[in-house]
């Protein structure tokens, strides 16, 4: 690949991470949390944020040690060429799968809630085409897209949550530990998988003006995105209670339906929420597709990653349509998410340990 110019600020890097993390998983998030620990859902979500932060810190510290390279590149210095390339191929395959499942989940929500007469294949291919076209831009344009959309994601969602809290019942959130906390570990893993898009940080650090600020970027990004996730779970459980959430497929969408503006200016906010959610899905899909194409180009030692933008599109679309129904789709989402934690948390952790033990570093660029 051509050398990346360093023009990404810390604020822009945070915007990329936040808009990447906040994505399609917002809708079923409270259901995952309640299944794991009923009223302990907010605690499970908080612990999942901590686990996601640990994985992001591994990636960030590695990036600060090798500020001119991505994980595909510096992993070869740490564990050897062929082991690194084999695991790198697995990482690329994982994010291609993640892109497919994100697009399919988007399609299912749209055809179920809005465009009920539209085939799911149409909505999936439209979103994938939009992502493929957008990945042909430079890294700087990629960052600006995220930076532009972040306020459009955060402000409406926070407004809906704030308005919904007037209908919340504090008793629905007790006990804090949950009545059946035995499933907390599995729930933490499932929810932490929603943060895996933060792996895009490995592409962002080599483009940052001041890579030494990457650690602060990671903390603040998880604080914002994770904090939003925790507040969403608190609001949904407070309004509906755990028993009703168990029978809802997308509890966050139901929360928007049950929320209205003061003086009934808008009696339901689900339409506005879905518009915001579509934007969130696009930014998440863009990041995973962008990471897939650029990592593949680096793995194959190619200078131009744009050639993969449309080359990968048919494969990603076919994979997206493999699950036969929405139940099978969510089973695949949870299964792939669990496997992905090994690639996005355990693998960077192993690389960091090896880098420290072997005292390996990249260039002497100010970190």
């Amino acid at each position: 690949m051509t050398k990346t110019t360093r023009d990404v600020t810390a604020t822009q890097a945070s915007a990329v991470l936040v808009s990447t993390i906040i994505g399609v998983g917002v809708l079923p998030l409270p259901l995952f949390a309640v299944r794991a620990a009923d009223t302990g859902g907010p605690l499970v979500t908080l612990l999942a944020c901590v686990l996601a932060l640990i994985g992001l810190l591994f990636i960030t510290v590695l990036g600060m040690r090798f500020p001119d390279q991505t994980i595909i590149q510096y992993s070869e210095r740490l564990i050897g060429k062929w082991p690194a390339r084999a695991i790198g191929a697995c990482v690329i395959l994982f994010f291609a799968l993640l892109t497919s499942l994100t697009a399919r989940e988007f399609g299912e929500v749209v055809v179920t809630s809005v465009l009920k007469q539209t085939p799911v294949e149409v909505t999936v291919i439209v979103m994938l085409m939009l992502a493929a076209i957008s990945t042909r831009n430079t890294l700087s344009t990629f960052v600006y897209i995220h930076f532009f959309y972040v306020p459009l994601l955060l402000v409406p969602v926070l407004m809906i949550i704030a308005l919904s809290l007037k209908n919340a019942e504090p008793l629905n959130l007790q006990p804090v530990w949950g009545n059946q906390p035995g499933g907390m570990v599995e729930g933490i893993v499932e929810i932490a998988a929603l943060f895996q898009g933060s792996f895009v940080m490995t592409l962002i650090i080599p483009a940052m003006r001041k890579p030494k600020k990457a650690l602060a970027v990671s903390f603040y990004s998880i604080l914002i995105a994770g904090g939003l996730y925790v507040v969403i779970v608190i609001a949904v459980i407070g309004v509906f209670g755990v028993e009703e959430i168990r029978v809802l497929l997308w509890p966050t969408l139901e929360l928007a339906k049950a929320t209205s503006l003061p003086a009934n200016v808008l009696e339901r906010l689900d339409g506005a929420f879905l518009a915001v959610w579509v934007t969130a899905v696009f930014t998440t899909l863009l990041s995973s597709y962008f990471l897939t194409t650029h990592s593949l180009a680096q793995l194959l030692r190619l200078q131009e990653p744009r050639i993969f933008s449309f080359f990968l599109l048919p494969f990603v679309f076919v994979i997206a349509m493999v699950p036969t129904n929405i139940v099978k789709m969510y089973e695949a989402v949870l299964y792939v998410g669990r496997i992905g934690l090994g690639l996005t948390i355990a693998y960077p952790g192993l690389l960091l340990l090896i880098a420290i033990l072997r005292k390996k570093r990249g260039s002497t660029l100010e970190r």
Side-chain angles (χ1 to χ4, degrees), residues 16-26 95 98-99 102-103 127 131 142 145-146 149 153 193-198 200 229 277-291:
V16 172
L17 285 182
V18 170
S19 63
T20 298
I21 293 170
I22 301 172
V24 69
V26 167
F95 279 99
L98 201 62
T99 302
T102 300
M127 182 56 85
F142 167 80
I145 290 173
H146 284 278
Y149 281 122
L153 299 180
L194 300 178
F195 292 79
Q196 289 173 332
S198 60
V200 75
Y229 275 4
W277 176 80
V278 168
T279 304
V281 174
F282 167 69
T283 53
T284 302
L285 197 65
L286 173 60
S287 290
S288 59
Y289 207 144
F290 193 87
L291 182 61

Side-chain angles (χ1 to χ4, degrees), residues 40-115:
L43 180 60
V44 169
T45 308
L46 180 62
L47 294 175
C49 294
V50 174
L51 178 60
L53 177 60
I54 292 172
L56 182 54
L57 290 181
F58 289 157
I59 297 167
T60 303
V61 175
L62 275 169
M64 293 170 68
R65 291 180 73 94
F66 301 92
D68 287 326
Q69 297 177 307
T70 69
I71 194 169
I72 299 294
Q73 296 166 330
Y74 59 68
S75 59
E76 294 189 12
R77 293 185 55 189
L78 295 175
I79 61 175
K81 179 179 178 180
W82 293 112
R85 299 189 83 174
I87 300 177
C90 292
V91 170
I92 293 167
L93 177 61
F94 166 71
F95 279 99
L97 288 172
L98 201 62
T99 302
S100 300
L101 293 172
T102 300
R104 175 62 184 274
E105 191 171 353
F106 164 79
E108 292 289 352
V109 174
V110 170
V111 300
T112 302
S113 304
V114 185
L115 307 176

Side-chain angles (χ1 to χ4, degrees), residues 67-355:
D68 287 326
Q69 297 177 307
T70 69
I71 194 169
I72 299 294
Q73 296 166 330
Y74 59 68
S75 59
E76 294 189 12
R77 293 185 55 189
L78 295 175
I79 61 175
K81 179 179 178 180
W82 293 112
R85 299 189 83 174
I87 300 177
C90 292
V91 170
I92 293 167
L93 177 61
F94 166 71
F95 279 99
L97 288 172
L98 201 62
T99 302
S100 300
L101 293 172
T102 300
R104 175 62 184 274
E105 191 171 353
F106 164 79
E108 292 289 352
V109 174
V110 170
V111 300
T112 302
S113 304
V114 185
L115 307 176
K116 297 183 180 181
Q117 302 300 317
T118 304
V120 66
E121 292 85 355
V122 174
T123 56
V124 170
I125 194 63
V126 167
M127 182 56 85
L128 285 175
M129 281 289 294
L130 185 59
I133 292 170
S134 300
T135 55
R136 295 180 63 80
N137 293 309
T138 63
L139 181 63
S140 296
T141 305
F142 167 80
V143 170
Y144 282 125
I145 290 173
H146 284 278
F147 187 71
F148 175 79
Y149 281 122
V150 159
L152 301 180
L153 299 180
L154 295 178
V155 174
V157 173
L158 289 173
M159 183 185 70
I160 291 172
I161 292 171
L163 292 171
S164 68
L165 288 176
K166 69 178 185 292
N167 301 319
E169 174 55 61
L171 285 176
N172 289 338
L173 295 161
Q174 298 177 12
V176 176
W177 290 97
N179 295 302
Q180 296 176 337
M184 290 186 77
V185 174
E186 184 177 358
I188 290 170
V189 171
E190 289 178 354
I191 296 173
L194 300 178
F195 292 79
Q196 289 173 332
S198 60
F199 202 81
V200 75
M201 191 65 173
T202 186
L203 292 181
I204 300 300
I205 292 178
M208 289 182 66
R209 291 178 186 173
K210 297 181 179 179
K212 64 180 180 180
K213 292 187 175 182
L215 212 55
V217 167
S218 298
F219 274 113
Y220 286 121
S221 300
I222 293 294
L223 182 65
I224 295 170
L228 182 66
Y229 275 4
V230 172
V231 172
I232 287 173
V233 173
I234 290 173
V236 173
I237 295 177
V239 171
F240 296 121
V242 295
E243 294 306 321
E244 185 171 352
I245 292 174
R246 292 182 192 276
V247 298
L248 298 175
L249 184 57
W250 298 305
T252 309
L253 182 59
E254 298 301 323
L255 180 70
K257 289 181 180 179
T259 305
S260 61
L261 289 176
N264 284 333
V265 176
L266 281 176
E267 292 186 3
R268 286 172 40 168
L269 296 178
D270 53 314
F273 177 78
L274 278 174
V276 174
W277 176 80
V278 168
T279 304
V281 174
F282 167 69
T283 53
T284 302
L285 197 65
L286 173 60
S287 290
S288 59
Y289 207 144
F290 193 87
L291 182 61
T292 302
T293 56
H294 280 65
S295 297
L296 185 57
Q298 292 172 358
L299 187 71
L300 299 178
R301 304 292 198 275
L302 298 177
Q303 296 293 320
E304 185 53 78
R306 290 187 297 180
I307 62 175
F308 296 112
S309 297
F310 293 113
F311 175 77
L312 292 175
L313 186 60
F315 301 99
V316 174
F317 174 72
V318 169
I319 295 172
M321 303 316 300
V322 167
T324 54
N325 54 51
I326 197 168
V327 176
K328 296 292 185 181
M329 181 204 70
Y330 274 115
E331 288 177 357
V333 167
L334 295 176
Y335 180 73
V336 171
R338 293 190 195 103
I339 293 177
L341 288 179
L343 294 171
T344 58
I345 296 180
Y347 178 51
L350 176 63
L351 290 180
L352 179 59
L353 179 62
I354 294 173

